[in-house]
């Protein structure tokens, strides 16, 4: 779909007025990208080492924040003793962090639109680090809880912007592939915290969970000192300023006025959650996915220590299975997309694979997600070797990441820019909120229902939802065509590719945790 289909009054960039000779002028790009495909400053045209560096920095920033999210779960017992609070209260260190991150998908697009990605990265991470430092030095539980919440609130943009950064520098033809790689930052970062910190806490207090997080954040910050700006709109603005020119850009899809911004990232997302079948299905599935994913950081150590007498360090080593699951998910999702693209490869863009093909990893993952919950629930038993439930968590993580990668990649191009941004916003906020809620009650569930029935409960819900990828594959085009948020020319072929380029490279869909 052309840019003119989205902006009938203008192209990606308004032409300069004849009465303003000093106005920088650019020809409308042919496929909806904010910058010309031949522009040397276009991140798509950067040398491979520059693309890899920009991607690596965004991964490091997201890794640091994800590590910080789960870091305090290793010190739950220490927090309980230090401040004389219950286990549920101590788990708030994880939940409040995630509740802080919930706000990031709402405000980050507006900051990025006005200041570019690099500026937001380099404000977000240092503020995150300061609150992590405050958490480590907290003298009361209230101070610890407040610092953890604001650490999540401040660090959240690093988890959001990574999607935009990857979209800026990598082709839309490999959406699933690059999304699986950027997802590794969050999955591996979160799983690395109990793996590493279990050994640290064998000699130090719970406060070192925050100090180590601070060190990782500082390392990421110094790695990123040379990070170039990747957001096309900001590149064009900066270039015009350097040349002393004026420039006019198309109106930001995220809105300009406070009312417009609220509508795009608050009101419309809420409306889509109750009126858009595609958004409703994907949001519910990812909510279950993330809720169960983050409760593992509480239930796995507790179950392994009570059932198998694991030490804190041994329980941390169990998360190697989670890291392995994430790595295998990246490989399988990449292979699936590669084979899918080869089938549709041709000399022109008319054979661009339908976006429904991005759902293949979710179809496989939905089976694994359901099976893993029953597997873990009924094999965490003293009479069964401990490797069985641990391997089950690896299967869950593989399934979880495969589903996330496929469904978010699908939504990237399911709607025009504003609809995509709104859909991704509600998806991100709901799943992160659920990720913060379930850890607070999981121990009570296991105690009252037993582990077998607690996880079977989630297994039955997962079984009821596992048809969602198939439904979207079969009926997705029809459901999207009926949506008031979809453009009438939404289809495969060159129009689809134009739409993908616009969505992926105008930075309108930088949401995710």
């Amino acid at each position: 779909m052309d840019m003119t289909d989205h902006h009938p009054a203008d192209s990606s960039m308004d032409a300069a007025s004849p009465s303003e000779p000093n106005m920088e002028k650019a020809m409308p790009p042919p496929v909806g990208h904010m910058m010309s495909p031949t522009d040397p400053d276009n991140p798509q045209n950067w040398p491979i080492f520059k693309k890899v560096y920009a991607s690596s920095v965004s991964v490091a920033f997201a890794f640091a924040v994800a590590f910080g999210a789960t870091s305090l779960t290793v010190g739950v017992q220490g927090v309980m003793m230090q401040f004389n609070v219950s286990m549920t209260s101590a788990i708030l260190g994880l939940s409040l962090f995630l509740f802080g991150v919930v706000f990031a998908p709402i405000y980050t697009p507006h900051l990025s639109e006005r200041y570019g990605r690099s500026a937001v990265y380099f404000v977000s991470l240092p503020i995150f680090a300061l609150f992590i430092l405050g958490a480590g030095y907290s003298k009361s539980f209230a101070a610890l809880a407040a610092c953890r919440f604001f650490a999540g609130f401040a660090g959240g943009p690093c988890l959001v912007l990574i999607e935009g950064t990857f979209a800026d520098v990598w082709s839309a033809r490999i959406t699933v592939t690059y999304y699986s790689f950027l997802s590794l930052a969050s999955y591996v970062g979160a799983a690395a915290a109990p793996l590493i910190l279990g050994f640290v806490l064998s000699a130090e207090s719970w406060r070192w969970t925050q100090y180590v997080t601070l060190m990782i954040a500082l390392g990421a910050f110094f790695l990123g000192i040379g990070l170039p700006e990747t957001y096309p709109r900001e590149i064009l603005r900066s270039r015009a300023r350097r040349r002393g020119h004026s420039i006019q850009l198309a109106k930001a899809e995220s809105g300009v006025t406070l009312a417009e911004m609220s509508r795009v990232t608050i009101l419309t997302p809420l409306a889509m959650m109750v009126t858009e079948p595609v958004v409703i299905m994907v949001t519910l599935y990812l909510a279950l996915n993330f809720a169960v994913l983050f409760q593992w950081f509480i239930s796995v150590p507790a179950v392994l220590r009570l059932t198998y007498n694991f030490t804190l360090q041994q329980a941390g080593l169990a998360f190697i299975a989670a890291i392995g699951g994430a790595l295998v998910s990246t490989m399988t999702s990449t292979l699936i997309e590669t084979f899918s693209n080869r089938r549709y490869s041709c000399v022109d863009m008319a054979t661009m694979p339908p976006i429904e093909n991005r759902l293949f990893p979710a179809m496989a993952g939905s089976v694994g997600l359901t099976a893993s919950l029953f597997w873990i629930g009924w094999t965490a038993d003293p009479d069964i070797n401990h490797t069985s439930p641990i391997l089950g968590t690896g299967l869950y993580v593989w399934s979880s990441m495969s589903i996330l990668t496929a469904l978010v990649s699908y939504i990237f191009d399911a709607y025009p820019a504003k609809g995509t941004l709104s859909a991704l916003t509600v998806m991100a906020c709901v799943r992160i909120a659920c990720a913060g809620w379930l850890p607070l009650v999981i121990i009570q569930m296991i105690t009252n229902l037993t582990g077998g029935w607690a996880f079977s409960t989630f297994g039955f819900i997962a079984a009821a939802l596992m048809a969602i990828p198939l439904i979207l594959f079969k009926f997705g085009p029809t459901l999207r065509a009926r949506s008031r948020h979809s453009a009438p020319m939404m289809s495969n072929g060159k129009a689809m590719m134009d739409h993908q380029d616009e969505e992926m490279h105008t930075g309108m869909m930088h949401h995710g945790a």
Side-chain angles (χ1 to χ4, degrees):
M1 182 175 300
D2 300 331
M3 283 298 293
T4 52
D5 290 318
H6 290 282
H7 305 287
D10 54 23
S11 65
S12 299
M13 196 180 309
D14 293 338
S17 169
S19 61
E20 297 178 290
N22 208 31
M23 178 87 71
E24 182 163 303
K25 188 174 182 178
M27 293 298 293
V31 290
H33 195 289
M34 187 58 65
M35 300 181 72
S36 167
T38 59
D39 191 327
D41 292 331
N42 185 337
Q44 295 279 306
N45 296 328
W46 286 353
I48 187 64
F49 72 86
K50 191 173 182 180
K51 290 185 175 186
V52 171
Y53 173 68
S55 302
S56 300
V57 171
S58 64
V59 165
F61 278 45
F63 178 96
V65 175
F67 187 98
T70 58
S71 61
L72 200 60
T73 61
V74 187
V76 164
Q77 296 296 325
V79 171
M80 291 171 62
M81 291 187 292
Q82 175 88 39
F83 299 113
N84 192 28
V85 296
S86 66
M87 175 175 284
T88 300
S89 296
I91 293 171
L92 277 171
L94 166 65
S95 297
L96 287 172
F97 187 103
L98 295 173
F99 293 152
V101 176
V102 166
F103 294 92
I106 298 173
Y107 72 82
T108 301
H110 309 302
L111 294 178
S112 179
E113 168 57 37
R114 282 148 187 79
Y115 306 108
R117 305 203 198 283
S118 295
V120 180
Y121 274 126
F122 285 105
V123 171
S124 171
L125 192 69
I127 297 177
F128 159 80
L130 288 175
F131 280 112
I132 288 294
L133 179 63
Y137 276 100
S138 295
K139 303 300 182 183
S140 68
F141 181 74
L144 173 63
C147 285
R148 289 289 296 176
F149 173 83
F150 285 109
F153 185 88
C158 294
L159 300 174
V160 174
L161 287 176
I162 184 173
E163 295 180 12
T165 299
F166 271 66
D168 292 337
V169 302
W170 302 107
S171 169
R173 290 179 177 272
I174 56 169
T175 301
V176 172
T177 297
Y178 79 62
Y179 197 87
S180 64
F181 274 94
L182 71 86
S183 295
L184 275 177
S186 298
Y187 276 79
V188 175
L195 174 61
I196 295 171
L197 295 175
F199 292 94
V200 174
L201 261 64
S202 64
E204 304 291 346
S205 76
W206 66 268
R207 298 183 185 276
W208 276 87
T209 63
Q210 305 306 287
Y211 300 154
V212 173
T213 301
L214 178 63
M215 295 174 192
I216 292 174
L218 290 175
F221 183 86
F222 288 119
L223 174 66
I225 286 178
L227 178 66
E229 180 57 60
T230 64
Y231 188 34
R233 290 173 69 94
E234 183 60 24
I235 291 174
L236 291 170
R237 288 192 293 249
S238 298
R239 186 167 66 186
R241 286 194 296 268
R242 289 196 306 270
R243 297 175 179 177
H245 295 173
S246 299
I247 190 170
Q248 289 182 338
L249 298 176
K251 183 178 179 180
E253 295 286 357
S254 57
V256 176
T257 67
L258 184 60
E260 291 173 340
M261 291 187 288
S262 299
R263 183 164 54 253
V264 173
T265 57
I266 298 177
L267 300 179
T268 300
L270 291 174
M272 294 181 83
M273 186 58 204
V274 295
T275 61
E276 287 291 317
V278 171
V279 175
I280 293 170
M281 288 187 286
V282 172
T283 301
L284 289 176
Y285 205 4
L286 293 183
L288 172 70
N289 184 337
F290 262 50
V292 176
L293 180 69
F294 277 86
Q295 65 79 32
W296 294 129
F297 294 98
I298 303 300
S299 64
V300 166
V303 169
L304 290 178
R305 293 175 75 174
L306 290 174
T307 306
Y308 299 104
N309 295 316
F310 269 36
T311 64
L312 185 63
Q313 296 74 35
Q314 289 174 318
L317 288 172
F319 284 91
I320 292 176
I323 294 174
L327 292 171
V328 173
S329 175
T330 298
M331 290 188 288
T332 55
S333 296
T334 299
L335 288 173
I336 290 171
E337 182 173 62
T338 300
F339 287 128
S340 176
N341 284 347
R342 283 181 179 175
R343 179 183 175 187
Y344 286 87
S345 62
C346 192
V347 294
D348 57 31
M349 293 185 291
T351 52
M352 183 70 184
I355 64 170
E356 277 69 29
N357 282 21
R358 298 178 186 177
L359 296 168
F360 290 141
M363 294 177 193
S366 63
V367 177
L369 193 82
T370 303
S372 65
L373 289 167
F374 291 104
W375 176 0
I376 296 166
W378 296 105
T379 62
D381 185 281
D383 295 330
I384 300 176
N385 191 277
H386 63 268
T387 56
S388 180
I390 290 174
L391 290 175
T393 61
L395 174 61
Y396 183 90
V397 170
W398 171 80
S399 306
S400 167
M401 186 167 155
S402 298
I403 292 169
L404 175 73
T405 297
L407 294 183
V408 174
S409 297
Y410 174 73
I411 294 295
F412 271 0
D413 295 301
Y415 302 97
K418 284 186 180 179
T420 296
L421 178 56
S422 296
L424 290 168
T425 298
V426 71
M427 287 163 49
C429 292
V430 171
R431 72 174 179 266
I432 297 169
C434 290
W437 163 76
L438 188 56
L440 293 173
V441 299
I442 189 59
I443 296 300
Q444 293 90 323
M445 287 189 66
I446 294 174
T447 301
N448 295 328
L449 299 177
T450 73
W453 285 109
F455 293 117
S456 291
T457 300
F458 301 128
F460 289 128
I461 299 173
L465 299 177
M466 67 185 296
I468 286 177
L470 292 171
I471 293 172
L472 293 176
F473 186 82
K474 178 70 174 178
F475 302 106
T478 302
L479 292 172
R480 291 185 290 113
R482 292 176 179 175
S483 171
R484 67 185 183 89
H485 299 281
S486 294
M489 290 180 62
M490 188 78 78
S491 63
N492 297 329
K494 187 177 186 303
M496 184 68 246
M497 186 58 189
D498 288 350
H499 173 66
Q500 287 174 336
D501 281 335
E502 177 189 358
E503 300 293 351
M504 298 306 298
H505 303 300
T506 56
M508 287 297 101
M509 54 306 118
H510 30 138
H511 288 283

